[in-house]
Amino acid sequence: MAPILSSFKDDALIVLDNLADRASRLVNPAVRLGVTGLSRAGKTVFISSLVHNLLNGGRLPVFEPIRSGRVSKVRLQPQPDDAVPRFQYEDHIAALVRDRVWPDSTRAISQLRITLDYESASGWNRMFSPGRLSIDIVDYPGEWLLDLPLLGQDFREFSESTVRRARAGTRATLSREWLALASVSGATVAADEGSARRIAESFTAYLQACKADDRSLSTLPPGRFLMPGDLEGSPALTFSPLPDLPQGRAPKGSLWAMMERRYEAYKTHVVSPFFREHFARLDRQIVLVDALQAINRGQEALSDLEQALADVLACFRPGTNSWLSSLFTRRIDRVLIAATKADHLHHESHDRLERITARLVSRAAERIGMSGAGLEVMALASVRATREATVSHDGHTLPVIVGTPIAGERINGDVFDGERKTAIFPGDLPEDPEVLFEPMNGHRVSKSTEAECAIPELNFVRFRPPPLEETRGGLKLSVPHIRLDRAMQFLLGDRLA
């Protein structure tokens, strides 16, 4: 499940963890579901909505165990890993339901266990199965996943790939100050803590500028530079790739040698433990993607997202787990790539969003051999913040979405206060996904279809979470969604059969 493990010790520890998990599951069956995605993709919202709908009898018609009535009880339980922070479900759902604000984004790893009592659909299984499954949801930043390929790169390879990206497209302007500072300092000069810190700070500022909403670039390792947590200021985060390294090895005592040593420390003390203690123990994985944000920012942002997803998929090892193989290693045998915020589009464009997302991952999926039952792509909204309607304009009927824009959002010069609803025509995504990835003059279409392939103006706005409706008896309904049940069926349905 990984590009390269760092040591034989890691292999041995992973085997021991798998043996311990296997022994525990003989008594308490469980599945570990990894939830990740790059910034703004909606990881916290996805988990909160999934748990809220399970606990509160949400409308989940495609999730067969719920639809058939085979699930008799759902409850939160203490998580099995005491050293991992708990996912604060209660706080997040209160923000969504009570305050109607989006909860804070994922900054570190967290975990939550939800347990379902159910009756197996198979009479044979009912004789031998306890009819209970615990779902251990592991929430972690997608930026951490993008660090795993670093385990297979030495400092020279890391520097060359990072600098090559930094000199292309939009990044060339954003990286100018960092590259100039690193070049002036020189790789072979004597190591100096002040110089190392200034270069590392400039490199971090470059990564932050790439991540900003007005650019929305995605391939930004090392991930902890953007969310350092308690590692902030440590030598393991005070390094930078260096441009134009000379041939040979780093001179002893040089800035190059210092940066190389700290890069290796980052891999040893940050990346390897995450892989060994968390990623290598996952059974299923959902990767949330904010494709609409990248589409809004243009071809470069989309291409960068495609590269980031390729790096993400390269971390997974396709295949199924047998009873014997799971004793020693574990495969993530189902991966869901989910384009979020489908409620920002009319349903007529949902299939187009799915095709665009499938195009984003198709080449990487083919390269690692993950396709068919092991990989699914869908468009969803973990929390549906809008409803659909139609309006008449200049004699035409237009499909629109209606919601409450977040305070400060602007539409045609109109600034919203966070209370007023509005109807928006978001535009239509193109029929052909390739139009978004290649300039029109390089895309092979006939002149007769060129107008059909042209990218219309898109209008994506951030909306507040919706107010939850109440039944006549005063009971609050569960969080509305789009295709959350379909995602649950793919990720968990077979484990509750």
Side-chain angles (χ1 to χ4, degrees):
M1 267 191 310
I4 290 180
L5 295 184
S6 57
S7 69
F8 175 78
K9 179 182 177 181
D10 284 338
D11 288 345
L13 290 172
I14 289 170
V15 170
L16 290 175
D17 285 338
N18 283 332
L19 289 171
D21 285 346
R22 185 71 183 183
S24 173
R25 293 180 184 192
L26 292 174
V27 179
N28 299 302
V31 58
R32 290 176 72 88
L33 171 63
V35 179
T36 195
L38 302 177
S39 294
R40 302 174 296 269
K43 299 176 288 294
T44 302
V45 175
F46 173 83
I47 297 172
S48 300
S49 180
L50 183 150
V51 173
H52 190 266
N53 274 278
L54 286 175
L55 289 175
N56 294 278
R59 187 173 179 275
L60 303 168
V62 179
F63 191 34
E64 190 277 333
I66 295 291
R67 184 189 71 235
S68 63
R70 293 192 293 106
V71 175
S72 58
K73 186 177 182 181
V74 182
R75 61 199 179 280
L76 292 175
Q77 287 193 307
Q79 64 195 60
D81 300 317
D82 292 333
V84 179
R86 182 180 183 272
F87 179 85
Q88 296 300 326
Y89 163 73
E90 294 81 3
D91 294 341
H92 297 319
I93 204 65
L96 282 168
V97 174
R98 184 191 63 204
D99 303 328
R100 293 183 59 203
V101 297
W102 300 109
D104 293 336
S105 59
T106 299
R107 303 293 297 177
I109 197 163
S110 63
Q111 189 179 99
L112 188 72
R113 166 169 281 196
I114 186 168
T115 299
L116 285 69
D117 291 343
Y118 70 100
E119 182 181 72
S120 174
S122 165
W124 178 261
N125 287 342
R126 285 197 294 269
M127 294 176 60
F128 298 98
S129 170
R132 179 176 300 158
L133 180 70
S134 292
I135 305 167
D136 293 321
I137 302 172
V138 182
D139 175 34
Y140 65 95
E143 286 79 4
W144 294 13
L145 194 57
L146 289 174
D147 276 353
L148 291 185
L150 299 182
L151 294 175
Q153 299 176 14
D154 61 22
F155 182 71
R156 180 183 295 277
E157 292 169 323
F158 164 65
S159 292
E160 289 176 349
S161 62
T162 305
V163 171
R164 184 168 56 251
R165 280 195 301 270
R167 286 172 169 165
T170 300
R171 294 173 185 259
T173 301
L174 304 178
S175 65
R176 186 174 297 139
E177 181 178 329
W178 158 58
L179 289 175
L181 184 60
S183 297
V184 168
S185 298
T188 58
V189 300
D192 173 73
E193 186 63 39
S195 295
R197 187 175 65 252
R198 286 190 295 274
I199 295 172
E201 289 173 350
S202 184
F203 175 58
T204 302
Y206 153 69
L207 295 178
Q208 290 170 338
C210 290
K211 182 184 176 183
D213 283 349
D214 58 342
R215 300 179 184 92
S216 300
L217 299 176
S218 305
T219 310
L220 303 170
R224 301 296 176 94
F225 277 54
L226 295 172
M227 43 188 68
D230 56 2
L231 292 173
E232 187 168 8
S234 67
L237 261 65
T238 310
F239 70 90
S240 163
L242 296 174
D244 308 318
L245 290 174
Q247 295 299 314
R249 303 181 62 179
K252 186 176 181 180
S254 65
L255 180 67
W256 175 5
M258 173 190 278
M259 296 295 194
E260 186 172 53
R261 184 179 67 253
R262 292 180 175 183
Y263 169 73
E264 293 298 331
Y266 181 82
K267 294 197 298 182
T268 299
H269 299 296
V270 178
V271 184
S272 288
F274 165 68
F275 168 76
R276 183 182 66 242
E277 297 168 10
H278 304 292
F279 185 77
R281 298 173 61 198
L282 297 176
D283 301 300
R284 304 283 166 88
Q285 177 72 57
I286 179 169
V287 180
L288 301 167
V289 181
D290 188 357
L292 294 181
Q293 178 86 343
I295 292 170
N296 242 356
R297 297 296 174 257
Q299 183 189 3
E300 185 174 3
L302 258 182
S303 297
D304 201 70
L305 177 58
E306 181 183 20
Q307 180 59 55
L309 290 173
D311 292 343
V312 164
L313 285 180
C315 298
F316 300 116
R317 184 180 178 186
T320 56
N321 284 302
S322 67
W323 186 89
L324 182 61
S325 69
S326 65
L327 291 177
F328 303 104
T329 188
R330 195 177 300 175
R331 298 173 187 264
I332 297 178
D333 56 0
R334 292 197 180 187
V335 177
L336 174 61
I337 308 295
T340 57
K341 305 176 184 176
D343 58 328
H344 287 43
L345 296 168
H346 195 271
H347 75 270
E348 294 175 352
S349 285
H350 289 180
D351 60 337
R352 300 183 183 188
L353 179 58
E354 287 189 359
R355 288 200 297 271
I356 292 168
T357 307
R359 165 61 179 79
L360 282 167
V361 301
S362 59
R363 296 174 184 175
E366 291 173 4
R367 187 161 56 249
I368 66 171
M370 175 171 279
S371 59
L375 179 68
E376 179 78 15
V377 176
M378 70 178 66
L380 59 78
S382 305
V383 173
R384 182 170 191 163
T386 66
R387 61 179 177 84
E388 295 185 352
T390 58
V391 297
S392 296
H393 180 70
D394 293 338
H396 299 282
T397 299
L398 295 178
V400 297
I401 55 175
V402 180
T404 306
I406 292 174
E409 285 289 289
R410 292 175 176 269
I411 303 175
N412 296 325
D414 192 4
V415 181
F416 285 80
D417 60 4
E419 300 295 332
R420 178 164 51 100
K421 286 186 178 181
T422 190
I424 297 172
F425 175 62
D428 295 318
L429 295 176
E431 285 272 5
D432 182 1
E434 291 299 333
V435 175
L436 297 173
F437 293 86
E438 300 179 20
M440 179 59 69
N441 58 11
H443 186 59
R444 297 182 179 178
V445 296
S446 65
K447 290 185 177 180
S448 62
T449 60
E450 186 170 326
E452 298 177 9
C453 292
I455 305 172
E457 183 177 350
L458 302 173
N459 188 22
F460 301 136
V461 178
R462 295 179 301 165
F463 294 95
R464 290 185 64 188
L468 286 195
E469 299 177 2
E470 294 186 2
T471 64
R472 292 181 179 178
L475 177 66
K476 286 272 189 181
L477 300 179
S478 57
V479 174
H481 62 85
I482 297 175
R483 298 187 191 89
L484 180 65
D485 50 341
R486 180 178 155 194
M488 294 165 68
Q489 179 63 27
F490 174 75
L491 291 167
L492 304 168
D494 64 315
R495 301 299 297 267
L496 292 161

